Amino acid sequence: MTKNYFIKTYGCQMNIHESEKLAGMLQSLGYTSCDKEEDADVIVFNTCCIRDGAETKIFGNIGALKNLKKKNKNLIIAVCGCMTQQKERVAQIKEKYPYVNIVFGTHNLNEFKEYMQQYLSSHKNVYEVWDQEKAIDEDVEMYRTSGWNAWVNIMYGCNNFCSYCIVPYVRGRERSRNMLDIHKEVEHLVQQGYKIITLLGQNVNSYGNDIDDKNITFANLLKDLCTIPGDFRIKFMSSHPKDLTDEVIDVIATNKKMSKAVHLPVQSGSNAILKAMNRKYTIEHYLELVDKLRHKIPNCRITTDIIVGFPGETEEDFAMTYDLVKKVRYSGVFAFMYSPRKGTVAASMDHQIPQEEKNRRVNKLLALSKQIIKEQAEEFLHTRQEVLVDHKTEQGEFVGILDCGKDVILNGQNYTLGQYQNIMITDKKNNQLYGCAE
Ligand code: 5AD
Ligand code: SF4
């Protein structure tokens, strides 16, 4: 009888991709993916700890597994990722959720297969979290699950220590992958038919800074990947404004293979708050980057991350963030309420902002962003665009995705799945765009 696994992923794209690695390991042990926790022989929670809400939700979901374990004594439960890289969380799981069988962190993700084998032979719970990152392991099995898109790690860890952020503590220092290894992986993925290659790193702009060769830079990596033959697009995330170079902007501007959707997290519109966040750029510098992007890449779409309610954020500071969103007219704003993370500098700062105030600010910002996006959707009407023909609806209509990720329902049947296609946007109903082949 086949044995099934179910992986639940919390958090960012890095975690989504790492779940593909966990799936690869489970497949090599003979397990098959299933859609429901109830059908699984192994359940893995790949966790996040970026905000308190993520951790609370995960603990709630771990609690809910108790019943499944009661019904099926052979069920194996594993919890890993950023949350369990913190020692106190492991202690909490050990004490309150003893039916969790395998616990490991971010630095030893690639050892999961060993832990599975260890548990299967001993039936003793495994709690294994490493304090430090080790050298990059290139020999990783993967089971990719993101359609035409393939995630590719180009670096791990972060050296920036933004004062609110826990990532450097749970992901370790920056380590860049070898450029040739990345090239070979992307080449192989394109040959396999992947159409979007999304390069991942906590700050992709500092790719190569830890390698003793001046030619290993993010701009040179992009230039190199663009020489790979095939009709595919390259995206990347996330990008830190302090390190975004003119050279990178030029590569995006001049190369057809580069996606024109740029995610550039600003975090705040106030210089005082940016300083307290240890972001190391000013709003003037950020706006210069936006100007350069818009000037050199006329069709570029900029999205951002913003934190509201950072300690000491006054009404004036927030107004500056609000004005910035109005000015830049982002194509997407991921707005978060500041969540104190133990061990980070900002967690012990004075003047923490009350929850109701954070709520008010985040809602105000999201309403503005929604309005801007609505107006931008109108601007798509009667323009020429390129879509990747992605899938068919249940009614048999083809659906294309724009570079920025928006869906377009396509008129007619003259399309091939997985191909880039020039279209005209002909209509818009509610928030749905419609188009037809040129
Ligand atoms: N509280 C709220 N949001 C945070 N982010 C990172 N740390 C925190 C925190 N402590 C947000 C930032 C980052 C995104 C991935 O998550 O905006 O860019
Ligand atoms: Fe966190 Fe800043 Fe590193 Fe991004 S750059 S992961 S926000 S510390």
Side-chain angles (χ1 to χ4, degrees), residues 118-287:
Q118 201 177 314
Y119 180 77
L120 285 166
S121 59
S122 71
H123 285 277
K124 285 209 176 84
N125 287 353
V126 180
Y127 304 100
E128 189 76 50
V129 176
W130 295 356
D131 284 338
Q132 271 204 322
E133 58 273 24
K134 63 165 201 174
I136 294 172
D137 188 357
E138 282 298 331
D139 192 18
V140 192
E141 294 147 293
M142 273 176 224
Y143 180 68
R144 295 185 180 271
T145 51
S146 298
W148 301 108
N149 173 70
W151 310 104
V152 175
N153 281 122
I154 63 165
M155 59 189 302
Y156 300 89
C158 180
N159 288 357
N160 289 312
F161 290 93
C162 300
S163 63
Y164 51 80
C165 186
I166 198 160
V167 169
Y169 302 89
V170 293
R171 291 265 173 193
R173 296 294 68 72
E174 284 175 2
R175 286 145 284 148
S176 300
R177 274 179 79 195
N178 182 311
M179 198 146 134
L180 196 61
D181 288 327
I182 301 171
H183 183 102
K184 278 195 219 146
E185 184 177 348
V186 173
E187 196 170 49
H188 182 61
L189 290 166
V190 172
Q191 280 162 6
Q192 284 180 296
Y194 286 98
K195 298 293 175 181
I196 303 169
I197 303 293
T198 308
L199 308 176
L200 294 178
Q202 246 73 45
N203 173 15
V204 290
N205 294 312
S206 52
Y207 171 76
N209 286 358
D210 56 321
I211 297 177
D212 215 10
D213 177 345
K214 283 207 173 65
N215 291 318
I216 307 292
T217 62
F218 185 51
N220 284 346
L221 173 71
L222 292 177
K223 278 187 214 161
D224 173 72
L225 297 179
C226 285
T227 65
I228 294 174
D231 199 14
F232 66 97
R233 302 291 174 271
I234 298 172
K235 298 190 170 190
F236 56 83
M237 64 189 336
S238 219
S239 176
H240 195 307
K242 82 177 164 58
D243 301 314
L244 179 61
T245 61
D246 288 354
E247 236 189 322
V248 168
I249 298 177
D250 287 338
V251 183
I252 304 172
T254 54
N255 213 304
K256 179 161 172 29
K257 288 196 170 119
M258 291 302 305
S259 159
K260 312 301 179 210
V262 180
H263 186 62
L264 197 60
V266 66
Q267 311 297 0
S268 169
S270 148
N271 280 333
I273 296 296
L274 287 176
K275 192 155 194 287
M277 286 177 163
N278 193 29
R279 290 291 287 178
K280 301 198 175 87
Y281 55 83
T282 59
I283 243 7
E284 291 74 24
H285 175 73
Y286 184 91
L287 286 171

Side-chain angles (χ1 to χ4, degrees), residues 49 52 55 59 82-95 97 103 341-342:
C49 60
D52 184 54
E55 292 194 322
F59 274 115
C82 291
M83 186 182 92
T84 47
Q85 187 56 43
Q86 308 164 94
K87 289 249 161 65
E88 64 272 25
R89 295 288 172 253
V90 179
Q92 207 171 335
I93 294 175
K94 248 184 183 170
E95 192 195 319
Y97 309 90
V103 179
R341 304 283 68 206
K342 205 169 153 223

Side-chain angles (χ1 to χ4, degrees), residues 19 31 36 46 57 72 82 111 127 136 165 186 203 216 275 295 328 336 341 345 361 392 396 419 424-425:
S19 288
Y31 290 88
K36 285 200 282 209
N46 186 10
K57 189 161 128 200
N72 173 9
C82 291
E111 312 294 314
Y127 304 100
I136 294 172
C165 186
V186 173
N203 173 15
I216 307 292
K275 192 155 194 287
H295 178 70
V328 177
F336 307 104
R341 304 283 68 206
V345 172
R361 291 181 189 179
K392 269 180 146 180
Q419 273 196 2
M424 192 76 186
I425 304 284

Side-chain angles (χ1 to χ4, degrees), residues 45 47 54-67 69 75-79 83-84 88-103 119 125-127:
F45 280 3
T47 65
E55 292 194 322
T56 310
K57 189 161 128 200
I58 294 162
F59 274 115
N61 293 352
I62 297 176
L65 292 180
K66 194 172 182 175
N67 276 336
K69 186 80 177 194
L75 173 66
I76 302 174
I77 300 174
V79 181
M83 186 182 92
T84 47
E88 64 272 25
R89 295 288 172 253
V90 179
Q92 207 171 335
I93 294 175
K94 248 184 183 170
E95 192 195 319
K96 298 212 176 107
Y97 309 90
Y99 52 88
V100 173
N101 307 109
I102 306 177
V103 179
Y119 180 77
N125 287 353
V126 180
Y127 304 100

Side-chain angles (χ1 to χ4, degrees), residues 234-374:
I234 298 172
K235 298 190 170 190
F236 56 83
M237 64 189 336
S238 219
S239 176
H240 195 307
K242 82 177 164 58
D243 301 314
L244 179 61
T245 61
D246 288 354
E247 236 189 322
V248 168
I249 298 177
D250 287 338
V251 183
I252 304 172
T254 54
N255 213 304
K256 179 161 172 29
K257 288 196 170 119
M258 291 302 305
S259 159
K260 312 301 179 210
V262 180
H263 186 62
L264 197 60
V266 66
Q267 311 297 0
S268 169
S270 148
N271 280 333
I273 296 296
L274 287 176
K275 192 155 194 287
M277 286 177 163
N278 193 29
R279 290 291 287 178
K280 301 198 175 87
Y281 55 83
T282 59
I283 243 7
E284 291 74 24
H285 175 73
Y286 184 91
L287 286 171
E288 252 174 55
L289 290 175
V290 170
D291 276 350
K292 271 187 207 164
L293 283 164
R294 293 252 158 92
H295 178 70
K296 291 191 174 172
I297 316 164
N299 52 345
C300 85
R301 307 212 140 245
I302 305 173
T303 52
T304 202
D305 290 348
I306 289 175
I307 297 177
V308 302
F310 184 82
E313 185 187 69
T314 60
E315 197 53 46
E316 291 73 46
D317 292 318
F318 174 68
M320 290 181 207
T321 303
Y322 190 86
D323 288 345
L324 177 82
V325 171
K326 250 187 177 165
K327 196 180 228 164
V328 177
R329 292 180 63 78
Y330 290 104
S331 302
V333 174
F334 299 89
F336 307 104
M337 290 182 273
Y338 169 69
S339 167
R341 304 283 68 206
K342 205 169 153 223
T344 61
V345 172
S348 51
M349 283 180 180
D350 293 336
H351 309 296
Q352 298 283 333
I353 308 295
Q355 190 58 36
E356 316 81 76
E357 188 52 31
K358 288 183 194 171
N359 268 323
R360 190 188 67 79
R361 291 181 189 179
V362 87
N363 288 334
K364 194 168 168 192
L365 214 51
L366 287 173
L368 170 65
S369 165
K370 203 168 155 195
Q371 179 57 33
I372 293 169
I373 293 167
K374 208 167 146 198

